[in-house]
């Protein structure tokens, strides 16, 4: 019964791919949460309580009407979000490096393959034929 269940589960690469996609999505959420909720506040604390997401270069100021409503929003380059994305990339790359390194340590190296005994070379066979013909 277990063999049939195993054969049902391991029916090919499609199931392996589906599992990998689901795990990658879950891992992406975990890493994004780790970076956004744990690492970025720490980085912000050590950089003088700077929130990188708010960093920007204002190209043109917002125009505000007399009643306080915004008639034209500001035009700004939000480079802080880009800095956050770079920090996120570095942390995700480091985490994946650690995971792959740990996975590679768990794999056993393949057993050495014994070579088949080598037969005589063509020259040795020709020498044997020559010696047999002389007799």
């Amino acid at each position: 019964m277990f063999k049939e269940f195993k054969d049902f589960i391991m029916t090919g690469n499609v199931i392996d791919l589906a599992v990998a996609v689901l795990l990658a999505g879950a891992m992406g959420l975990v890493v994004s949460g780790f970076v956004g909720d744990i690492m970025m506040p720490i980085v912000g604390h050590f950089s003088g309580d700077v929130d990188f997401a708010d960093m920007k270069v204002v190209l043109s100021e917002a125009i505000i009407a007399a009643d306080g409503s915004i008639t034209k929003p500001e035009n700004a380059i939000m480079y802080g979000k880009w800095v956050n994305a770079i920090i996120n990339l570095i942390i995700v790359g480091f985490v994946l490096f650690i995971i792959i390194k740990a996975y590679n340590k768990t794999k056993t190296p393949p057993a050495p393959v014994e070579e088949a005994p080598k037969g005589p070379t063509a020259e040795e066979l020709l020498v044997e034929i020559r010696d047999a013909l002389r007799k």
Side-chain angles (χ1 to χ4, degrees):
M1 168 125 178
F2 179 72
K3 184 180 181 311
E4 293 168 357
F5 179 72
K6 182 180 173 188
D7 290 342
F8 175 73
I9 295 297
M10 302 288 191
T11 55
N13 293 336
V14 175
I15 292 176
D16 294 340
L17 179 62
V19 169
V21 167
L22 291 174
L23 286 177
M27 187 68 179
L29 291 174
V30 168
V31 172
S32 294
F34 174 75
V35 171
D37 299 333
I38 296 173
M39 290 305 297
M40 289 312 292
I42 293 171
V43 171
H45 175 73
F46 287 113
S47 64
D49 290 328
V50 174
D51 185 9
F52 289 109
D54 295 335
M55 298 173 78
K56 60 185 172 184
V57 174
V58 178
L59 300 175
S60 63
E61 295 288 333
I63 299 174
I64 301 174
D67 63 352
S69 63
I70 298 174
T71 58
K72 181 181 173 192
E74 75 177 359
N75 186 10
I77 299 172
M78 303 293 288
Y79 69 90
K81 292 180 182 179
W82 185 66
V83 171
N84 276 350
I86 291 173
I87 293 171
N88 191 358
L89 174 69
I90 290 169
I91 293 171
V92 169
F94 179 71
V95 168
L96 288 176
F97 172 75
I98 297 295
I99 290 171
I100 291 172
K101 192 170 184 175
Y103 173 73
N104 285 338
K105 283 185 179 180
T106 63
K107 291 178 20 181
T108 57
V113 178
E114 294 183 20
E115 294 183 18
K118 294 183 179 180
T121 63
E123 294 162 351
E124 292 172 343
L125 289 174
L126 288 173
V127 168
E128 287 181 22
I129 292 171
R130 182 194 65 198
D131 292 343
L133 287 175
R134 282 188 182 166
K135 291 182 182 179

